[in-house]
Structures are given as C-alpha cells and as structure tokens.
Amino acid sequence: MRHLLSIDDLDRAGIERVLDRAASFAEVAGREIKKVPALRGRTVVNLFYEASTRTSSSFELAAKRLSADLVSIRAASSAVAKGESLKDTIATLTAYDPAAIVIRSPHAGAAQLVAGWTDAAVVNAGDGKHEHPTQALLDVFTLRQKLGSLEGANIWIIGDVMHSRVARSDILAFTRMGARVTLSGPPTLIPRGIEALGCSVEPTLERLPEADVVYVLRMQHERMEEAYVPSLREYAMRYQIGTSRLLPHQLLMHPGPVNRGVELSGAAIDSPQALINQQVEAGVVVRMAVLYELLAGAGATAARGVPIGTLETRAVAAA
Ligand code: ASP
C-alpha cells in the first residue's frame, strides 16, 4: 500500500494485517513509556483544513509514539488563511522531505490530489463527505476486540448518511470483514442507490432489535445547505437512540463529536453498551499501525526505494 486514501486501498487481509499490528501497539500503549523507535528520523506532516479533535490529536500521538518528527498545521492559523493554494502548500511542505502527509479537507478527493503532488505517503484523514478510512479501521478494531470477528454481525448505521464520510468508509470496511450492514434514517439523508455499496436500507427503526451493533452518526449541519429534516425535535423523536431503543446485548458506537440529545440521548452515551471511548482509544494504535504500514511495513521499501532500518523494525517486532 502506497497511500491510504480509501478503504478500497485495503483488501480483507490488508485490514487484518494493519489491525494485528495495532493490537501489538496496544500492548506498548499499556506501558509507562509508550514509545517505539520505528520511525526515528522520519517526518510526518499533519495538515488539517477542517475542525478536528480526535483525529488530529490521535495522529499526533501516533507519530510521536513511533518517534517520528512531527509538523502539525491547522489551516486557520497557517498561510492557507492568507490564500495559499493546496498545491502550493504541499510544494512548500515537500521541501521538508516528509515521509507521510496526513490531510483533512472539506473537499472530496483532496487527499487523492495531494498524492499526485508529493512523494510522501498520503493518509486521508477525512475528505468532505467522501471517506475517512482510519475511522473505519478503528471501528473495525473496536468491534474485533468486543466480538472477536465481524463475520455475520448485523450492524445498523443510523442518521445522516448523506453527509457522512464515516458511513461510506464503514460500509466498505464492515462488509469487507463479513458483516451485514443496514442503513436507517430520514429518506432525505440516505443517498439514493447507496445499496450498491453492499448494504440495505430500512426507513424506520422497527427492525432495530435485530441489530448486534447500533452505529449512530452525527447530524452534519456544516455540510447542509438546506433543511433535510422538518426539525431536530422531530428527528430526535423518530431516530434518536436512547436506552429505551437499545437491547442489553446491543453495542453502541458513534464516531464523535456527539450532538447530545439529538442523535443520542445522554443516558445512551453513558450506558455500559457505549463503545465511544474505546473507539477514541483505538484511534491512536490504529493510526500508529497505518503510519507503520505505509512507512516501515512490508512493501514500503519497494514503493519508495528507501532502505528501512532493520534495527527499528526489529525493535517494534520485539515491542
Ligand atoms: N469526526 C467524524 C468526521 O470527521 C465524524 C463527524 O464529524 O461527525 O467525519
């Protein structure tokens, strides 16, 4: 794998390889000193053109725990705010010879464009409403920890699918791992033809009790140019997941940030079924595994012609 732009860059074996690696990093995360020397001397650039708490902080921690040098840029406080184009920004940052560029952008396809302008490995940290592959990987990681395997699991994704890059990446990843995916939400927020991704659609929550996993999405107000639901109150009445809609065996997930009281009730967020904090925790080790896979894993040498320090690799293997 040269870049991670979409879940489509990984087949099932590739997803399993990355997640097995993440599991070995989870062991390191439990230690007092949470660092391995795998990417010592390599530079990682984080370039965020859109708001982020979890993704940006976990990519920062991931790069630091792999001992990489890290440059973090928030567009609002960079020369981008002075009108520098994405292409010129990448040309500027390329002067630092980064091994990886992690990019979040409000525009679908931005990460793909960047991959054409740099020799660095590019990681898509969310491009508009297109994809968010590392979120999907950490979701699969969290579910694997809970269920052992996703094979045959019945996963419902509920809410604003239309504007959700998480939904698109999750549908691809969950089905690739053998799960059945059902989407539910107001018809205005379910894109027509989405079944082509291998999922089914239910307009109401009537059959929700059949789900093993209830994955709730945020209403993405920032991407809405018109009203998609009559009112948030009405939306909450029909689709909000509260504890009364959850069965004791069902697992509850949400990518964050949550609109408390809109798509999820406060009680559901705090319920023992909620895996929301485990998802955040998984974010660090999964992003470590993605950076490792791209910069030091099998195939990284062939892709870039960069000799990989066997010492570093051995140190991680032993970690
Ligand atoms: N944090 C996720 C994303 O960046 C989900 C969300 O914002 O609702 O796509």
Side-chain angles (χ1 to χ4, degrees):
M1 179 172 64
R2 169 104 172 76
H3 306 286
L4 180 60
L5 306 176
S6 158
I7 281 294
D8 272 335
D9 291 323
L10 287 163
D11 57 12
R12 184 169 176 161
I15 293 177
E16 273 163 1
R17 188 176 61 246
V18 171
L19 299 189
D20 288 345
R21 175 79 62 191
S24 75
F25 286 136
E27 195 266 314
V28 177
R31 297 186 195 163
E32 199 176 327
I33 298 185
K34 306 181 191 318
K35 246 182 152 90
V36 291
L39 299 186
R40 195 168 43 199
R42 319 284 293 274
T43 301
V44 173
V45 172
N46 277 353
L47 183 55
F48 278 70
Y49 284 85
E50 235 191 23
S52 171
T53 305
R54 280 152 283 265
T55 308
S56 61
S57 57
S58 61
F59 264 115
E60 283 191 19
L61 268 181
K64 286 177 179 166
R65 289 186 181 176
L66 291 168
S67 307
D69 295 324
L70 176 70
V71 180
S72 284
I73 296 160
R74 295 274 184 171
S77 58
S78 72
V80 170
K82 299 180 184 171
E84 190 166 49
S85 74
L86 178 59
K87 191 168 185 182
D88 290 338
T89 305
I90 297 300
T92 304
L93 294 169
T94 297
Y96 304 138
D97 192 21
I101 297 178
V102 177
I103 173 150
R104 164 165 293 188
S105 161
H107 303 295
Q112 176 92 50
L113 277 177
V114 171
W117 296 330
T118 173
D119 286 338
V122 175
V123 183
N124 181 4
D127 60 333
K129 50 185 182 177
H130 177 227
E131 277 220 46
H132 193 354
T134 58
Q135 175 74 44
L137 291 174
L138 74 87
D139 289 336
V140 175
F141 183 84
T142 307
L143 283 175
R144 257 194 7 166
Q145 279 184 319
K146 273 284 179 199
L147 304 173
S149 157
L150 274 68
E151 195 62 61
N154 192 347
I155 305 180
W156 277 54
I157 300 179
I158 299 165
D160 181 4
V161 176
M162 174 78 85
H163 301 99
S164 175
R165 52 197 175 206
V166 172
R168 241 159 296 272
S169 292
D170 270 348
I171 295 166
L172 294 175
F174 291 163
T175 51
R176 198 150 294 175
M177 300 308 285
R180 276 178 297 140
V181 176
T182 302
L183 310 177
S184 189
T188 45
L189 290 174
I190 306 284
R192 209 173 306 150
I194 189 124
E195 293 92 335
L197 294 182
C199 52
S200 52
V201 174
E202 286 283 337
T204 70
L205 298 184
E206 221 168 284
R207 294 179 57 201
L208 187 66
E210 294 170 17
D212 301 306
V213 179
V214 179
Y215 195 110
V216 181
L217 300 169
R218 181 175 67 87
M219 289 290 268
Q220 309 244 334
H221 301 291
E222 75 276 24
R223 291 187 220 289
M224 295 185 187
E225 276 141 27
E226 48 191 290
Y228 285 83
V229 289
S231 73
L232 284 183
R233 234 177 83 103
E234 173 119 351
Y235 176 82
M237 256 166 54
R238 281 173 196 266
Y239 294 101
Q240 183 187 90
I241 300 299
T243 44
S244 62
R245 280 198 165 130
L246 281 179
L247 294 173
H249 76 275
Q250 290 179 319
L251 300 173
L252 176 65
M253 301 177 83
H254 189 294
V258 178
N259 288 317
R260 223 172 235 268
V262 179
E263 67 265 7
L264 279 181
S265 73
I269 299 169
D270 301 329
S271 71
Q273 286 129 293
L275 300 179
I276 301 169
N277 290 336
Q278 279 99 310
Q279 289 172 269
V280 175
E281 212 179 309
V284 177
V285 291
V286 166
R287 288 173 174 127
M288 284 174 82
V290 166
L291 291 173
Y292 184 89
E293 169 83 9
L294 289 168
L295 304 184
T301 313
R304 252 168 234 92
V306 179
I308 292 164
T310 34
L311 259 185
E312 276 89 338
T313 315
R314 237 183 278 135
V316 170

